[in-house]
Amino acid sequence: MSFFPDEVIIEVLARLPIKPLFKTRTVCKLWHGLPSDKYFVKLYNQVSDKNPMVLVEVHDSTKPNSSLICVDNSRGVSEFSLDCLRDKVNIRASCNGLLCCSSIAVKGVYYVCNPMTREFKVLPKIKDQNLTRFYPDSEATLVGLACDPSRGKFDVVLAGYQCAGSSRRPDKTFACLIFDSDSNKWRKFVSFQEEIFTHMNRNQVVYVNGALHWLTGSGSYILVLDLNFEVWRKVSVPDETRYGTGNRVYLLESDGCLSLIEISDTWMKIWVMKDYERELWHMVDRVSLGCIKGLVHGIFPIAQTGECVFLATHKQVLVYHRTSWAWKEMYSVQNNATLPLWFSAHAFRTSIFPCE
């Protein structure tokens, strides 16, 4: 290895998966300190940004716990677990290598974890239980995770309609709780909303430009939470997707920008917001779905880059390569899955981000 400069070695190591990277720490003193070196962590996360993956929870009716499958376009399929949490959980949000999970057994218990490094943090319980009386079943309608590697911090957002008085009926009070990893505390503000969100709307929360974004159930606009000013606002969608097309629309991130994917019976259109301040959308691709005609009605986009799009069906994860116009099956579930893969699929990327 003495024939290679340290700079070259560091560039090579920054392209390793997390587990092999941590194994190399036994080689020498330099390599041992890399995962905690600020320059290397920044480089590693920048490289990972260009390689998004799909994380899928596979629910098997013959097993007590679900398994986690990571589908990587360049490295294939791998399996891992969240057994480090010692709790049965649902993944509620994913952002820059971290996951926000909620306990199934104990309502109101949330974790933030890095599944690659197996570090995790149990978020402090909210003392005032009235603040968590969300409708229905005390579960927040929206759960968002905002992980900012440049600042070394993360925020968790729980938002939803609160129950009116002692009843179990919701009112228009939309409570928002924000956990700040720097202060290790929750804060709250209340607004008034009249929105509904589908399961996919809730799953596909996008963090860009210091704000969390959710597509509303009607698909007519995007609801945005500005974390710097703690205010809700609305962002427009392309006129072509808003007015009476009857097509399905999904919100994703693409290379640091907001993106909408519109699916009809025959086409998939990809829109990217090139100018965030002026809310200007551009259609960057129009893909024929003729090759997967039989799957169109049950296919859902999960993650993307400028080069490829990951989509999930009931039992498959597919990738579409935009430059070669080629479709490829990356993963197919073979067991007695009780839920479709798209139901619990999240965009994901590896990172060295401490959350303890």
Side-chain angles (χ1 to χ4, degrees), residues 84-124:
C84 58
L85 301 180
R86 298 181 181 179
D87 193 0
K88 192 172 182 179
V89 298
N90 283 325
I91 298 174
R92 299 299 305 273
S94 169
C95 182
N96 289 329
L98 298 187
L99 300 177
C100 178
C101 305
S102 62
S103 172
I104 295 175
V106 184
K107 298 289 185 183
V109 173
Y110 287 86
Y111 305 87
V112 171
C113 70
N114 186 326
M116 296 293 109
T117 63
R118 298 178 66 79
E119 295 179 345
F120 69 92
K121 179 179 181 64
V122 184
L123 302 190

Side-chain angles (χ1 to χ4, degrees), residues 23-43:
K23 288 180 180 179
T24 65
R25 298 177 69 183
T26 59
V27 173
C28 64
K29 187 175 181 180
L30 171 65
W31 292 16
H32 184 273
L34 285 179
S36 56
D37 179 79
K38 289 184 178 180
Y39 172 79
F40 181 79
V41 170
K42 182 179 179 181
L43 176 63

Side-chain angles (χ1 to χ4, degrees), residues 65-253:
N65 297 318
S66 60
S67 56
L68 292 175
I69 303 297
C70 189
V71 182
D72 184 334
N73 185 41
S74 59
R75 303 186 184 111
V77 177
S78 57
E79 183 174 353
F80 63 93
S81 73
L82 295 177
D83 56 2
C84 58
L85 301 180
R86 298 181 181 179
D87 193 0
K88 192 172 182 179
V89 298
N90 283 325
I91 298 174
R92 299 299 305 273
S94 169
C95 182
N96 289 329
L98 298 187
L99 300 177
C100 178
C101 305
S102 62
S103 172
I104 295 175
V106 184
K107 298 289 185 183
V109 173
Y110 287 86
Y111 305 87
V112 171
C113 70
N114 186 326
M116 296 293 109
T117 63
R118 298 178 66 79
E119 295 179 345
F120 69 92
K121 179 179 181 64
V122 184
L123 302 190
K125 275 197 169 185
I126 300 165
K127 295 180 181 179
D128 187 347
Q129 295 301 310
N130 289 326
L131 298 183
T132 58
R133 294 185 69 248
F134 292 115
Y135 174 87
D137 302 325
S138 298
E139 286 287 340
T141 304
L142 304 178
V143 177
L145 175 61
C147 171
D148 188 342
S150 65
R151 298 170 62 191
K153 65 164 292 185
F154 64 84
D155 296 288
V156 174
V157 171
L158 308 179
Y161 296 99
Q162 290 195 299
C163 296
S166 59
S167 73
R168 300 302 301 168
R169 294 180 294 104
D171 59 20
K172 295 180 181 179
T173 302
F174 202 69
C176 182
L177 299 164
I178 303 176
F179 173 80
D180 185 317
S181 64
D182 282 346
S183 66
N184 198 41
K185 293 180 180 179
W186 292 92
R187 60 187 188 272
K188 178 195 176 185
F189 72 96
V190 174
S191 62
F192 295 92
Q193 306 287 342
E194 293 186 89
E195 302 303 330
I196 59 172
F197 300 89
T198 67
H199 176 82
M200 292 300 288
N201 292 155
R202 297 194 299 269
N203 265 10
Q204 295 183 319
V205 51
V206 176
Y207 176 62
V208 297
N209 290 83
L212 290 166
H213 304 73
W214 289 270
L215 185 67
T216 57
S218 64
S220 57
Y221 63 86
I222 298 165
L223 188 64
V224 183
L225 175 59
D226 189 318
L227 292 169
N228 295 320
F229 299 98
E230 295 186 8
V231 62
W232 293 97
R233 57 187 176 85
K234 297 176 181 179
V235 166
S236 63
V237 298
D239 289 342
E240 292 86 343
T241 69
R242 186 190 310 172
Y243 297 117
T245 62
N247 299 334
R248 294 182 287 135
V249 183
Y250 302 94
L251 181 67
L252 278 76
E253 181 258 352

